[in-house]
């Protein structure tokens, strides 16, 4: 019997979602600072059988935490102690910005979903960079064998015009690449005006090429580069992005970000409409994100690493995405509903699924 769902209902379900997130994240970080995280890490450490080779790196588990939870690199070590094979930090912008006006995060509990219009609130690349460096060094000290991987997700500063977006991304790339295990260009959030226009391949090509060159130069090594796309792209646009990624020799694609659609929700339509604009994440995104993954796999084969995200709640969801062609899988929204032992349960569930599969062969 799991206690957290009851605890969530009593302690968090009635509370402003952003406030609840802040309290929960502070508790995770407090456990790390107190030393309890070291004990937790022994319990939650992924089984060695889950180690996954991707992007020239070894991941302790194929399952990691998507960007959005730790926007500024404050809790990388603490989150790694919960069993995530990687933690993707961000989205980080070239300049610090407060994000959109509150309230800007809303739960749809009956749908196990979230609507957010956070707007890339973060301290800016220059402030986040030393946190990444410190966390990476700490993880290397604690994990002599295979350490959790740090991904960094970068986006456009809101006040920067679209025609100046490339230089804005370069500010982040140059600051953050030296401490990043991999870098993600986010052009798919619906909460920065005009950002999704950058998914057009004519615009995306020079942006990705420039970011990749700047990241490698700043780090003095090749930093694996991925692009994160929206689930709302047409199939033809997905194919175009896949061809572009192959042409530019990117390392991978993350599919998918949040959706602007509101189809198939259990929550009353009038209530959903009253919450306003924003990206929808969680269980309702499960089917479309899987469809996009399969289409990408068909287009790129084994030439790129595909990271699946969207509607992932269980070990079976993770395995379904691995079976559909993903090398790595991420989650976020279900973390809010399932609690701090979610990643550990998924890792243990993956081991059981894979053992059953090996016995049936």
């Amino acid at each position: 019997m799991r206690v957290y769902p009851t605890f969530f209902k009593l302690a968090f379900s009635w509370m402003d979602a952003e406030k609840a997130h802040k309290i929960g994240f502070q508790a995770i970080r407090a456990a790390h600072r107190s030393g309890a995280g070291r004990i937790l890490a022994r319990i939650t450490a992924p089984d060695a059988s889950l180690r996954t080779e991707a992007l020239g790196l070894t991941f302790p588990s194929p399952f990691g935490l998507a960007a959005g939870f730790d926007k500024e690199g404050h809790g990388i070590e603490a989150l790694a102690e919960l069993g995530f094979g990687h933690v993707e930090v961000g989205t980080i912008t070239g300049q610090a910005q407060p994000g959109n006006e509150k309230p800007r995060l809303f739960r749809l509990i009956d749908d196990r979903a979230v609507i957010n219009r956070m707007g890339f609130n973060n301290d800016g690349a220059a402030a986040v960079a030393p946190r990444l460096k410190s966390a990476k060094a700490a993880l290397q000290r604690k994990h002599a064998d295979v350490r959790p991987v740090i991904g960094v997700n970068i986006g456009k500063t809101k006040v920067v015009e679209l025609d100046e977006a490339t230089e804005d991304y370069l500010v982040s790339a140059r600051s953050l690449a030296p401490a990043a295990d991999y870098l993600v260009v986010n052009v798919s959030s619906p909460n920065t005006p005009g950002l999704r226009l950058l998914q057009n391949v004519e615009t995306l090509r020079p942006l990705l090429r420039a970011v990749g060159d700047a990241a490698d130069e700043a780090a003095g090594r090749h930093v694996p580069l991925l692009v994160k796309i929206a689930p709302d792209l047409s199939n033809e646009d997905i194919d175009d992005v896949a061809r572009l990624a192959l042409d530019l020799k990117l390392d991978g694609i993350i599919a998918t970000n949040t959706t602007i659609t509101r189809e198939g929700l259990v929550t009353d339509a009038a209530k959903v409409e009253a919450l306003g604009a924003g990206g929808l994440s969680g269980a309702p995104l499960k089917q479309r994100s899987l469809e996009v993954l399969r289409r990408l796999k068909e287009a790129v084969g084994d030439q790129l690493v595909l990271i699946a995200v969207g509607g992932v709640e269980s070990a079976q969801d993770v395995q379904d995405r691995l079976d559909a062609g993903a090398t790595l899988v991420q989650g976020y929204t279900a973390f809010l509903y399932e609690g701090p032992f979610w990643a550990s349960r998924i890792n243990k569930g993956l081991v059981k699924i894979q053992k059953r599969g090996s016995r049936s062969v």
Side-chain angles (χ1 to χ4, degrees):
M1 179 179 175
R2 292 190 291 113
V3 175
Y4 188 82
T6 301
F7 175 77
F8 170 83
K9 185 176 181 180
L10 294 174
F12 287 143
S13 63
W14 53 270
M15 191 184 297
D16 171 77
E18 187 170 352
K19 182 179 180 181
H21 169 83
K22 185 176 181 180
I23 292 172
F25 193 14
Q26 286 175 338
I28 291 169
R29 291 162 61 192
H32 167 71
R33 289 192 300 270
S34 71
R38 288 195 297 273
I39 300 170
L40 264 179
R42 297 192 194 104
I43 300 169
T44 64
D47 189 85
S49 66
L50 295 178
R51 290 179 182 177
T52 302
E53 301 293 328
L55 304 173
L57 304 163
T58 301
F59 291 71
S61 162
F63 183 64
L65 182 61
F69 191 92
D70 185 356
K71 291 178 174 292
E72 301 168 317
H74 285 298
I76 298 169
E77 293 174 70
L79 292 164
E81 289 169 345
L82 299 182
F84 290 105
H86 66 278
V87 175
E88 190 170 306
V89 177
T91 296
I92 303 163
T93 53
Q95 302 174 33
Q97 57 182 24
N100 294 324
E101 291 185 9
K102 299 178 183 180
R104 55 193 181 182
L105 184 66
F106 311 93
R107 301 186 208 87
L108 304 182
I109 294 176
D110 291 341
D111 288 289
R112 295 180 64 81
V114 164
I115 291 173
N116 94 82
R117 50 173 176 271
M118 302 298 289
F120 293 167
N121 53 303
N122 74 105
D123 293 338
V128 176
R131 297 173 196 155
L132 297 177
K133 182 179 179 181
S134 175
K136 187 174 184 179
L139 290 175
Q140 287 172 332
R141 288 193 303 270
K142 294 174 184 175
H143 300 268
D145 191 6
V146 177
R147 66 167 174 81
V149 168
I150 301 174
V152 180
N153 185 301
I154 61 174
K156 185 184 81 68
T157 305
K158 184 176 182 179
V159 298
V160 171
E161 298 295 333
L162 278 180
D163 59 2
E164 298 173 351
T166 296
E167 187 54 43
D168 185 58
Y169 277 92
L170 294 184
V171 171
S172 295
R174 292 177 182 127
S175 296
L176 303 168
D181 289 315
Y182 71 84
L183 198 64
V184 182
V185 173
N186 184 353
V187 288
S188 50
S189 169
N191 301 317
T192 296
L195 183 70
R196 287 191 170 192
L197 296 175
L198 295 176
Q199 292 179 114
N200 179 285
V201 291
E202 287 78 15
T203 308
L204 193 55
R205 181 184 298 274
L207 171 62
L208 292 174
R209 182 177 285 123
V211 168
D213 289 345
D216 289 356
E217 182 179 355
R221 59 181 168 86
H222 175 59
V223 181
L225 181 65
L226 302 91
V227 63
K228 187 169 186 176
I229 65 172
D232 308 314
L233 290 177
S234 68
N235 287 337
E236 292 74 17
D237 287 337
I238 293 169
D239 293 342
D240 285 344
V241 171
R243 282 192 290 270
L244 175 62
L246 290 172
D247 184 44
L248 292 178
K249 295 182 171 54
L250 293 189
D251 297 276
I253 300 173
I254 300 183
T256 62
N257 211 320
T258 59
T259 180
I260 57 173
T261 64
R262 299 290 188 265
E263 297 174 2
L265 297 178
V266 175
T267 305
D268 180 73
K271 177 183 176 181
V272 174
E273 185 177 358
L275 296 178
L280 174 74
S281 62
L285 194 52
K286 187 175 299 188
Q287 188 56 41
R288 178 55 182 166
S289 67
L290 193 52
E291 290 171 0
V292 174
L293 170 64
R294 287 175 173 147
R295 191 166 189 99
L296 284 171
K297 184 63 177 179
E298 186 176 339
V300 306
D302 296 327
Q303 298 179 76
L304 297 177
V305 169
L306 299 178
I307 302 181
V309 58
V312 174
E313 298 186 281
S314 66
Q316 189 59 57
D317 289 335
V318 175
Q319 189 62 52
D320 288 345
R321 280 150 179 75
L322 296 174
D323 293 341
T327 304
L328 301 167
V329 181
Q330 296 178 338
Y332 172 12
T333 300
F335 191 21
L336 310 181
Y337 292 107
E338 293 291 322
F341 293 100
W342 177 54
S344 179
R345 284 198 303 274
I346 283 183
N347 287 329
K348 288 179 171 62
L350 281 174
V351 172
K352 290 179 182 177
I353 290 170
Q354 292 174 5
K355 282 182 178 177
R356 286 200 303 268
S358 65
R359 286 198 297 267
S360 64
V361 174

